[in-house]
Amino acid sequence: MSEPTPRFWEIFFELYEGLPRQGPGNRTCTERALTLCRDLPPSPSVLDLGCGVGGQTLHLAELTSGAIVAIDRHAPSIARLKEKIDARGLSHRVRALVGDMARSGQPAESFDLIWSEGALYNIGIGNALRICRDLLRPGGHLAFSDAVWRTADPPPEVRASFELDYPTMSRTDGVLAAIGQCGYELLGRFTLPDEAWWDDFYTPMEHRIETLRDRYANDAEALDALDQLSREPEMHRLHSDCYAYEFFVVRRPLA
């Protein structure tokens, strides 16, 4: 598979930054994962890693009463999240920062809850789990979602679609093994339902693609990029039995 061009990435970000969220998930799934976080303090200190434009960050602000630090390396996404934070009067509780998940600059053992929806794979699941463990207080929780294979032999076009972005993607047992190797206690897990792919992600994506097609009607390179991007939701229609998003909730032991 050839490397995407700079023009592709321009269109990619124009598309994704305008979506409610940048990957599968919804408020119901965020709430369900949060209920698996047993014994959180009344106002937990929360870190949202790879927050994107902050769809889940704002859900966490609604569902908890603690302070939230949201970090993403893409500055335009953080700018959009800051606008939402200000519009909702949440700036006293929620801070949005441009930063690297692997080197967040946050103090060790300073968070009761680390949250990451579909982002930890960017720095390697094993590496991410170790980094999060160091940032959690003893007894602190990590809740994250990750793409997993449902079959050992997906069609070549499905495997190829993940190879560029997530070549080390594994099945659920692979993620569970990494969790155990990092010394976490598994509190629960669940598979995201199909509506978590469509309601706030693929349906808005398809609508926005059509809007951008009109905008770039005379731009062949942009239209080619949009054609490539439109294949993702179509692939999910055809092959969602081959892969899933799994939500994992784990806890760092007290000792």
Side-chain angles (χ1 to χ4, degrees):
M1 183 178 294
S2 61
E3 289 286 336
T5 65
R7 182 63 169 150
F8 173 88
W9 286 119
E10 288 177 17
I11 299 299
F12 174 92
F13 284 118
E14 186 173 2
L15 170 63
Y16 272 76
E17 288 168 14
L19 302 179
R21 53 184 302 126
Q22 285 68 56
N26 57 21
R27 190 183 191 280
T28 300
C29 291
T30 298
E31 187 170 15
R32 181 177 176 183
L34 194 59
T35 64
L36 295 172
C37 299
R38 302 195 295 266
D39 304 320
L40 281 177
S43 296
S45 177
V46 181
L47 175 63
D48 183 2
L49 286 176
C51 62
V53 299
Q56 72 290 327
T57 313
L58 299 175
H59 291 155
L60 288 168
E62 296 170 3
L63 295 166
T64 71
S65 58
I68 301 171
V69 177
I71 293 177
D72 196 278
R73 66 181 180 180
H74 190 58
S77 294
I78 289 296
R80 286 177 181 263
L81 177 53
K82 285 181 176 179
E83 291 175 358
K84 297 174 184 178
I85 291 168
D86 291 342
R88 289 164 173 77
L90 291 170
S91 56
H92 64 295
R93 287 183 51 213
V94 183
R95 288 192 299 141
L97 306 174
V98 177
D100 186 339
M101 288 191 296
R103 293 174 292 276
S104 68
Q106 301 302 303
E109 298 190 349
S110 58
F111 293 98
D112 302 299
L113 173 62
I114 296 178
W115 202 271
S116 188
E117 297 197 24
L120 292 186
Y121 79 93
N122 285 291
I123 58 173
I125 287 295
N127 183 43
L129 291 172
R130 290 187 291 272
I131 288 169
C132 290
R133 195 179 192 281
D134 290 341
L135 291 169
L136 285 171
R137 296 185 175 112
H141 297 72
L142 167 63
F144 69 98
S145 62
D146 191 40
V148 295
W149 291 115
R150 281 179 158 171
T151 176
D153 190 26
E157 64 270 23
V158 179
R159 184 174 291 281
S161 70
F162 284 95
E163 278 185 347
L164 184 62
D165 194 41
Y166 196 1
T168 60
M169 181 171 147
S170 69
R171 302 188 72 169
T172 299
D173 56 0
V175 182
L176 292 174
I179 288 169
Q181 289 165 5
C182 288
Y184 287 101
E185 174 191 0
L186 178 69
L187 299 181
R189 63 181 177 90
F190 61 91
T191 303
L192 269 63
D194 205 47
E195 58 265 25
W197 292 78
W198 290 102
D199 291 353
D200 293 336
F201 185 39
Y202 281 156
T203 297
M205 178 190 290
E206 291 188 322
H207 291 160
R208 184 155 174 76
I209 285 173
E210 292 311 307
T211 298
L212 292 174
R213 285 190 198 279
D214 291 339
R215 181 178 302 172
Y216 294 112
N218 299 314
D219 185 333
E221 194 173 2
L223 292 174
D224 180 66
L226 291 168
D227 286 343
Q228 293 179 59
L229 292 164
S230 69
R231 292 172 194 153
E232 183 179 341
E234 184 58 28
M235 184 184 71
H236 191 75
R237 284 192 180 93
L238 298 173
H239 299 293
S240 61
D241 59 323
C242 296
Y243 57 91
Y245 254 64
E246 195 79 2
F247 224 125
F248 302 88
V249 178
V250 303
R251 179 166 54 192
R252 175 182 169 177
L254 285 168

